[in-house]
Amino acid sequence: AVMVSCAGKDKKANIITIGWTGTICTNPPMCYISVRPERYSHHLINETKEFVINLTTKDLAKACDYCGVKSGKYEDKFEKTKLHKGEAKELNYAPIINESPVNIECKVKEVKKLGSHHMFIADVVNVQVNKEALNDKGKFELNKTGLITYSHGEYFLLGKSLGTFGYSVKKKKKRK
């Protein structure tokens, strides 16, 4: 689950919780979100062709849930959740969420009408990292931020590492 921030051309900002999202290309960096066309944010993203994917943490879980239940058409979700708008570096309308450890600024490249959801395929134009996600040497430590995930109606805290890339084929060291 991520919180996607967006705004219309009038700069009225909104937050929508999205479960259907991910990376689709490394070079060039691209990602997607899928949004139901009847959602208020769908109109905003369609109008400005931009959005920000804000990663969510244990501390943001309640706000994340709230933003998935309530409509920004009727209330200011930033105000209701006490989240703070920050400035995106490469976008004209959509703000970042300051409390998020990572903000992925996106410009829509294509919209695929898939059925119940429309997929916004986007170029990643900038990534901002909250300084609290950096260790004392300036190394990015996303796994220590308390990321959450969503599955079948429940939020879960991500936790124990199961291995590193390539561990399934790594050769065992010979004992002497």
Side-chain angles (χ1 to χ4, degrees):
V2 298
M3 291 187 289
V4 171
S5 49
C6 55
K9 288 188 177 175
D10 62 0
K11 298 224 177 181
K12 181 183 175 200
N14 191 43
I15 306 167
I16 182 174
T17 299
I18 297 288
W20 302 111
T21 185
T23 302
I24 55 174
C25 190
T26 302
N27 191 13
M30 295 175 68
C31 60
Y32 79 95
I33 60 171
S34 290
V35 183
R36 290 181 181 270
E38 60 271 13
R39 297 295 298 264
Y40 176 63
S41 293
H42 184 282
H43 162 73
L44 301 177
I45 295 167
N46 225 15
E47 182 177 89
T48 62
K49 304 292 189 242
E50 59 181 51
F51 59 88
V52 180
I53 297 173
N54 303 276
L55 299 189
T56 52
T57 63
K58 178 182 174 185
D59 293 341
L60 294 171
K62 190 170 184 178
C64 181
D65 184 66
Y66 186 90
C67 291
V69 175
K70 296 292 188 171
S71 175
K73 187 174 186 177
Y74 306 108
E75 62 184 53
D76 182 338
K77 292 187 203 177
F78 276 96
E79 184 180 302
K80 290 285 187 177
T81 59
K82 297 184 176 28
L83 294 174
H84 299 92
K85 294 176 216 166
E87 191 173 323
K89 304 293 185 209
E90 298 294 327
L91 303 178
N92 296 314
Y93 302 98
I96 67 166
I97 298 173
N98 283 339
E99 291 78 3
S100 175
V102 177
N103 318 100
I104 305 166
E105 299 176 29
C106 302
K107 288 191 178 180
V108 176
K109 183 178 189 132
E110 181 181 350
V111 181
K112 288 200 169 282
K113 296 178 180 182
L114 302 174
S116 65
H117 289 69
H118 292 176
M119 180 186 287
F120 291 94
I121 297 172
D123 290 319
V124 174
V125 295
N126 190 50
V127 177
Q128 293 189 49
V129 176
N130 190 310
K131 64 183 173 216
E132 282 133 29
L134 304 174
N135 69 17
D136 56 353
K137 294 180 181 174
K139 182 181 179 224
F140 183 48
E141 293 192 347
L142 181 61
N143 294 334
K144 293 186 178 180
T145 63
L147 291 176
I148 61 170
T149 188
Y150 179 83
S151 177
H152 300 284
E154 295 182 74
Y155 298 92
F156 295 93
L157 183 64
L158 296 178
K160 187 178 176 186
S161 173
L162 301 176
T164 58
F165 179 76
Y167 83 99
S168 65
V169 296
K170 194 180 234 180
K171 294 187 183 195
K172 293 182 181 177
K173 292 183 181 181
K174 292 182 182 180
R175 290 186 161 198
K176 292 183 182 185

